[in-house]
């Protein structure tokens, strides 16, 4: 069972970073005794690509370069009928690709435009070929706004809860370091844990550090590597009912990534299509040097290739 809210707050206030890492690593070893670290090769298709044939061509290119999964966005003007046709076309041409598509906000918008309930919208997307839903960024300000109730005010949780009811797995995401309070972090993690208790539908949790994009009246500094490691360890201890913890490999870099493997993380997320082969091999070598076996997976966490 994950640590309590009080214990989580104590962990945030603790200066014992190594101790937190050891506790998180124990949870990781219990959940993943096989000693593997996974990653995926996923194609991301630009939603502004015009026309079905152009989208299919882009997907074909990604698949030829090793993508086992595809992420796709919804434009703000598309209807449910248009998205059904597109999903069916993709599945018809590429039946083995896993379709991990549409943010919670995009699904809400699609439902509103189509005059449908969330349940009916997600059910129709699923029947057309949608395999899972990504965990886009959700505001931590909403973490205490009734997120666990069936009619809670937080639409993000409503979408994911509904998807789980329909048998669609989803992933969760947290971006920290935006000036939120420790209590908000704890509330959000507890909300994710609570929904997982109810549905068991989350396959992974992804942790990202906030990157300031522009200076403003409120200056926010990007979280340090130490802060990322601490947040990662605490997330692993709270979310012991979510199997996989994804490290933000691209932002944190290889050195921090290697340390993260002993702070509760067991997954490197997505390698970009078109990136150099050396980058993929560097990742695999770091995993081996850390004492693990690298495993390529798809977005259902099925093994594609054991490196």
């Amino acid at each position: 069972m994950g640590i309590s809210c009080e214990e989580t707050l104590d962990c945030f206030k603790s200066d014992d970073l190594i101790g937190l890492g050891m506790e998180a690593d124990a949870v990781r070893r219990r959940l993943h005794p096989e000693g593997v670290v996974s990653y995926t090769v996923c194609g991301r298709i630009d939603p502004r690509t015009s026309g079905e044939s152009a989208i299919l061509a882009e997907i074909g290119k990604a698949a030829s370069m090793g993508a086992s999964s595809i992420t796709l966005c919804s434009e703000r003007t598309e209807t449910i009928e248009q998205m059904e046709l597109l999903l069916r076309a993709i599945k018809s041409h590429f039946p083995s690709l896993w379709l991990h598509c549409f943010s919670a906000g995009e699904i809400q918008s699609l439902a509103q435009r189509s005059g449908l309930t969330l349940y009916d919208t997600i059910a129709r997307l699923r029947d057309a070929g949608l395999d899972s839903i990504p965990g886009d960024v959700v505001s931590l300000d909403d973490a205490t706004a009734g997120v666990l109730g069936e009619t809670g005010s937080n639409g993000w949780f409503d979408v994911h809860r509904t998807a789980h009811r329909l048998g669609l797995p989803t992933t969760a995401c947290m971006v920290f370091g935006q000036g939120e309070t420790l209590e908000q972090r704890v509330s959000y993690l507890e909300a994710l844990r609570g929904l997982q208790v109810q549905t068991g539908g989350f396959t992974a949790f992804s942790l990202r550090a906030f990157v300031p994009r522009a200076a403003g009246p409120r200056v926010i500094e990007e979280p340090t590597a130490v802060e990322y490691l601490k947040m990662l360890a605490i997330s692993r201890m709270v979310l012991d009912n979510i199997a996989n913890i994804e490290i933000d490999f691209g932002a944190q870099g290889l050195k921090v990534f290697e340390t993260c493997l002993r702070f509760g993380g067991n997954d490197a997320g997505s390698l970009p299509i078109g990136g150099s082969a050396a980058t993929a091999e560097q990742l695999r070598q770091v995993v081996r040097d850390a004492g693990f076996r690298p495993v390529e997976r798809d977005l259902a966490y099925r093994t594609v290739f054991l490196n």
Side-chain angles (χ1 to χ4, degrees):
M1 181 174 178
I3 58 177
S4 68
C5 291
E6 293 77 11
E7 290 170 328
T8 304
L9 278 173
D10 287 342
C11 288
F12 275 119
K13 296 172 183 177
S14 173
D15 294 325
D16 186 9
L17 182 64
I18 299 302
L20 293 176
M22 292 175 65
E23 292 291 336
D25 192 50
V27 177
R28 192 268 312 159
R29 284 186 280 109
R30 173 166 58 83
L31 295 175
H32 301 279
E34 68 280 7
V36 301
V37 172
S38 53
Y39 67 93
T40 189
V41 179
C42 179
R44 290 179 172 84
I45 305 304
D46 189 338
R48 293 170 295 181
T49 301
S50 59
E52 180 182 298
S53 60
I55 293 174
L56 292 175
E58 287 294 317
I59 293 174
K61 181 179 178 181
S64 70
M65 298 175 69
S68 60
S69 309
I70 294 293
T71 61
L72 189 70
C73 298
S74 167
E75 297 233 12
R76 296 298 177 181
T77 59
E78 290 164 332
T79 65
I80 186 69
E81 290 82 10
Q82 289 173 309
M83 297 316 302
E84 287 174 310
L85 288 172
L86 179 58
L87 289 172
R88 288 195 174 99
I90 295 171
K91 280 295 187 180
S92 175
H93 286 80
F94 309 100
S96 64
L97 284 181
W98 185 270
L99 301 185
H100 185 63
C101 309
F102 314 131
S103 69
E106 288 168 342
I107 289 174
Q108 286 179 294
S109 179
L110 183 60
Q112 292 168 0
R113 289 196 305 274
S114 304
L116 297 171
T117 63
L118 277 178
Y119 186 95
D120 288 341
T121 300
I122 297 172
R124 288 176 62 167
L125 293 172
R126 177 202 61 187
D127 294 345
L130 180 64
D131 292 306
S132 60
I133 295 173
D136 55 313
V137 176
V138 59
S139 170
L140 296 189
D141 290 335
D142 293 330
T144 57
V147 292
L148 293 181
E150 285 299 319
T151 58
S153 61
N154 189 292
W156 189 94
F157 280 84
D158 290 340
V159 169
H160 286 261
R161 182 186 296 107
T162 303
H164 297 172
R165 286 174 58 196
L166 286 162
L168 276 181
T170 73
T171 57
C173 177
M174 177 179 179
V175 177
F176 76 101
Q178 303 178 67
E180 73 279 352
T181 66
L182 295 182
E183 287 75 14
Q184 285 175 317
R185 294 184 189 180
V186 173
S187 294
Y188 182 60
L189 291 174
E190 283 297 316
L192 289 177
R193 178 177 173 78
L195 183 54
Q196 184 73 342
V197 168
Q198 292 176 14
T199 67
F202 288 121
T203 58
F205 169 81
S206 175
L207 180 66
R208 304 175 192 171
F210 177 67
V211 179
R213 289 178 173 81
R218 186 183 180 193
V219 178
I220 299 177
E221 295 183 0
E222 183 176 351
T224 65
V226 169
E227 290 172 323
Y228 186 88
L229 290 169
K230 188 174 189 178
M231 188 72 241
L232 181 71
I234 293 171
S235 298
R236 177 71 286 176
M237 287 188 281
V238 174
L239 302 175
D240 68 337
N241 60 350
I242 297 180
N244 301 289
I245 299 291
E246 181 183 318
I247 303 161
D248 191 0
F249 159 69
Q252 296 302 314
L254 289 172
K255 290 184 178 180
V256 176
F257 169 73
E258 183 173 4
T259 306
C260 287
L261 297 178
R262 296 298 180 182
F263 275 71
N266 69 286
D267 187 82
S270 298
L271 291 182
I273 288 290
S276 66
T279 299
E281 181 51 41
Q282 284 175 354
L283 170 65
R284 292 190 288 266
Q285 189 59 54
V286 168
V287 170
R288 297 187 193 102
D289 290 345
F292 300 93
R293 289 182 299 157
V295 172
E296 184 181 339
R297 60 165 177 87
D298 64 12
L299 284 172
Y301 278 84
R302 300 173 300 193
T303 296
V304 174
F305 182 65
L306 182 62
N307 301 143

